[in-house]
Amino acid sequence: MPADEILISETEIQTRLPALAAEVNAALPDGPVHIVMILKGAIIFGVDLARALMRNATLGFLAASSYGAGTESKGRVQIDTEHLGEIEGRNVLLIDDILDTGHTFAKTIDILKSKRPASLRTCVLMDKPARREVDIHADHVGFAIENHFVVGYGLDCDEAYRTLPDIRIYAPE
Ligand code: IMP
Ligand code: MG
């Protein structure tokens, strides 16, 4: 199949999670946290990280979609906030699967900041710095990777491969 090559194994992911959770926990203020995940890509990483944090937490969701032709967001990002939950005055942790051009993350952060959280921290499973078009970074990064299109552990290609336990390089046949 076109996703045979494992870039990050299940063991590597599961080994990185507690260390990443400890790093995020150390940076978050004490008390309840509202964890916001960007659908759908962040969901598998997001629930694993959320459980590894072992804190008093609530969950919220944003749905991001890029419109226009092609697979690249190019800044044409639409964000659905229907299931975001209350942000104002709360300590918020934003989780996404991958930071690529940065358009989705930048727009999401703007929306969250406009709702005046008490604090906002950001965490992504993967970062592809070589692809960045917007000057933005995540506070916490699971893995920095080269410029590959990857699938698995939440990430898709046309909705396929999300439930793979590892991260693989997608190479069309
Ligand atoms: P950005 O707006 O270009 O940063 O796009 C970020 C979003 O594009 C991510 O949340 C993913 O949903 C998707 N994306 C970016 N790179 C990949 C990839 O390598 N595989 C699967 N989805 C990706
Ligand atoms: Mg996504």
Side-chain angles (χ1 to χ4, degrees):
M1 71 179 194
D4 279 336
E5 190 185 341
I6 295 175
L7 181 67
I8 307 172
S9 71
E10 184 176 4
T11 305
E12 284 175 280
I13 295 170
Q14 297 304 328
T15 304
R16 180 76 180 102
L17 269 169
L20 188 59
E23 191 188 306
V24 171
N25 257 334
L28 277 174
D30 289 338
V33 57
H34 188 56
I35 301 175
V36 174
M37 303 174 198
I38 304 180
L39 300 173
K40 301 173 191 167
I43 188 110
I44 293 181
F45 168 57
V47 295
D48 278 355
L49 182 68
R51 287 181 296 186
L53 292 175
M54 291 189 283
R55 337 184 15 140
N56 177 359
T58 49
L59 299 182
F61 302 93
L62 285 166
S65 46
S66 304
Y67 46 100
T71 54
E72 302 199 1
S73 59
K74 292 279 181 221
R76 299 181 303 261
V77 185
Q78 239 168 0
I79 314 269
D80 172 358
T81 59
E82 192 183 344
H83 302 287
L84 177 57
E86 188 64 31
I87 297 298
E88 187 169 351
R90 302 178 75 188
N91 294 314
V92 174
L93 173 66
L94 173 66
I95 301 179
D96 202 5
D97 52 358
I98 191 163
L99 191 45
D100 188 35
T101 65
H103 291 293
T104 306
F105 218 52
K107 181 145 190 197
T108 304
I109 288 169
D110 282 350
I111 289 172
L112 290 175
K113 282 188 174 162
S114 76
K115 295 178 184 293
R116 299 188 298 152
S119 68
L120 176 63
R121 303 289 300 180
T122 59
C123 180
V124 293
L125 172 65
M126 284 175 287
D127 186 9
K128 282 197 273 196
R131 295 257 310 160
R132 201 77 87 253
E133 292 174 7
V134 181
D135 182 21
I136 195 153
H137 72 279
D139 297 320
H140 307 280
V141 175
F143 301 93
I145 65 168
E146 303 288 314
N147 184 14
H148 303 292
F149 191 84
V150 290
V151 295
Y153 200 61
L155 292 98
D156 74 309
C157 181
D158 286 339
E159 296 299 323
Y161 309 111
R162 288 196 198 275
T163 58
L164 289 173
D166 42 31
I167 307 279
R168 302 184 187 200
I169 295 173
Y170 180 80
E173 278 160 342

